[in-house]
Amino acid sequence: MNKYHDFLPDNNLEKKYFGEIASQLASDIKIVAKNFGDPMPEVSGEKIIFMNADEQYRIPEEVNDPSVKLIFKQYCKEEQHEKLKPLPLGPSKDFKYIANSFNDRIYDVTFIGQVAHNRVGFFSEMYKFLSDHTINSFFGLYQGFNKGLDMDSYSKVLSNTKVAICPHGTARPETFRFFEAMSANCVVVCAQQPDNWIYRNAPYIALDSGVNTDRSYDIVKALLSDPVKLKLLSDKSKEYYDNNLTASPVAQYINNELRSI
């Protein structure tokens, strides 16, 4: 019997990650993968939901369905509802880390992403990076979500990056880039992330909060001046990602939550 029911669009960025998690669950309970706000598919019996596509941290109406035991939702606050549990964004489906020695990487710092009003603070810092010829930086800016480099090129750049800047997402501080950078052994400098199990102990370096405040240049400059610390942080990123955010540990987390009910 097929326990995993995938109702995500074919181009959905989480499709691969959700499927990998589902394949490692020990429970026989049915799993429905769907976007927030889409009609609930007709899947009989008790079930759990993997849910995405809601950056507003809303409570889905499916919490009122007695057949839905738990909803593992991206963009979720802890203790928001007894049926809601946070689920990592994970890397986008076509991202592929290309194993690469940290010390041999070409780029000291990179950012590839869309232009957004809440990234003004970071964009004002870019001139400092570009003016500093001791720092080898790569910045790729574009208009619209997921409309920049093709994924192969993006993967190659991030796999060749020492420090990945992951500024505030267009709506919320969470971003796919955070997970892709950690999986690629990068040191992550990003906006302060939500206080939940996904980020609470993650070894990232937080930028100043607010649209017009940012110290990314000073932070990165200090990191690059201490290669031993930089390499240690890189190792911690990869270790944290492998032990907490890949499909296997996330499946174990879900198994534990299911046992609790």
Side-chain angles (χ1 to χ4, degrees), residues 55-241:
E55 295 183 77
Q56 305 306 315
Y57 294 87
R58 291 171 288 186
I59 297 177
E61 62 181 21
E62 286 86 353
V63 297
N64 300 312
D65 184 340
S67 73
V68 175
K69 297 306 168 184
L70 289 173
I71 300 173
F72 294 90
K73 182 177 178 289
Q74 296 173 331
Y75 303 106
C76 177
K77 301 173 184 177
E78 286 192 347
E79 309 302 329
Q80 191 173 9
H81 188 280
E82 61 181 4
K83 282 190 177 183
L84 284 182
K85 305 295 178 181
L87 187 66
L89 291 181
S92 55
K93 66 181 179 66
D94 295 322
F95 177 77
K96 184 178 180 181
Y97 168 50
I98 303 164
N100 192 9
S101 170
F102 187 78
N103 291 329
D104 293 336
R105 296 186 176 195
I106 298 171
Y107 304 113
D108 294 318
V109 58
T110 65
F111 166 73
I112 301 167
Q114 64 176 312
V115 176
H117 72 280
N118 53 9
R119 293 173 175 170
V120 170
F122 167 63
F123 294 148
S124 67
E125 293 280 286
M126 284 178 51
Y127 176 77
K128 298 178 184 178
F129 285 111
L130 296 173
S131 300
D132 188 337
H133 299 299
T134 69
I135 298 177
N136 192 7
S137 56
F138 182 101
F139 299 115
L141 306 181
Y142 54 88
Q143 295 283 353
F145 178 69
N146 204 28
K147 293 183 178 179
L149 290 178
D150 63 83
M151 191 52 71
D152 283 345
S153 299
Y154 172 80
S155 298
K156 289 176 182 177
V157 170
L158 205 54
S159 298
N160 250 313
T161 294
K162 293 180 179 178
V163 181
I165 297 179
C166 307
H168 196 290
T170 54
R172 292 292 180 263
E174 297 180 77
T175 168
F176 288 104
R177 190 175 296 102
F178 177 98
F179 299 91
E180 293 158 354
M182 283 215 163
S183 74
N185 231 42
C186 302
V187 176
V188 175
V189 176
C190 66
Q192 184 69 48
Q193 296 299 303
D195 182 25
N196 61 35
W197 75 264
I198 299 167
Y199 303 104
R200 191 170 294 131
N201 297 311
Y204 68 89
I205 299 173
L207 293 167
D208 295 339
S209 60
V211 171
N212 295 315
T213 58
D214 192 306
R215 293 188 305 108
S216 54
Y217 173 78
D218 291 339
I219 290 171
V220 173
K221 187 76 172 176
L223 286 170
L224 294 174
S225 70
D226 190 344
V228 174
K229 180 181 179 180
L230 191 69
K231 180 62 167 61
L232 178 63
L233 287 171
S234 163
D235 292 341
K236 286 184 176 180
S237 287
K238 185 64 171 173
E239 180 181 14
Y240 186 82
Y241 181 80

Side-chain angles (χ1 to χ4, degrees), residues 3-69:
K3 68 177 183 180
Y4 185 54
H5 302 267
D6 182 358
F7 293 94
L8 299 171
D10 289 340
N11 64 350
N12 190 279
L13 298 182
E14 293 92 335
K15 198 174 185 71
K16 179 182 176 182
Y17 186 54
F18 280 9
E20 290 174 345
I21 296 168
S23 70
Q24 299 191 50
L25 289 185
S27 173
D28 288 330
I29 194 168
K30 294 177 181 177
I31 308 157
V32 173
K34 68 181 292 290
N35 284 335
F36 178 92
D38 285 353
M40 182 64 190
E42 293 185 9
V43 176
S44 62
E46 293 186 344
K47 61 190 76 70
I48 62 173
I49 298 176
F50 292 175
M51 183 175 289
N52 69 347
D54 171 43
E55 295 183 77
Q56 305 306 315
Y57 294 87
R58 291 171 288 186
I59 297 177
E61 62 181 21
E62 286 86 353
V63 297
N64 300 312
D65 184 340
S67 73
V68 175
K69 297 306 168 184

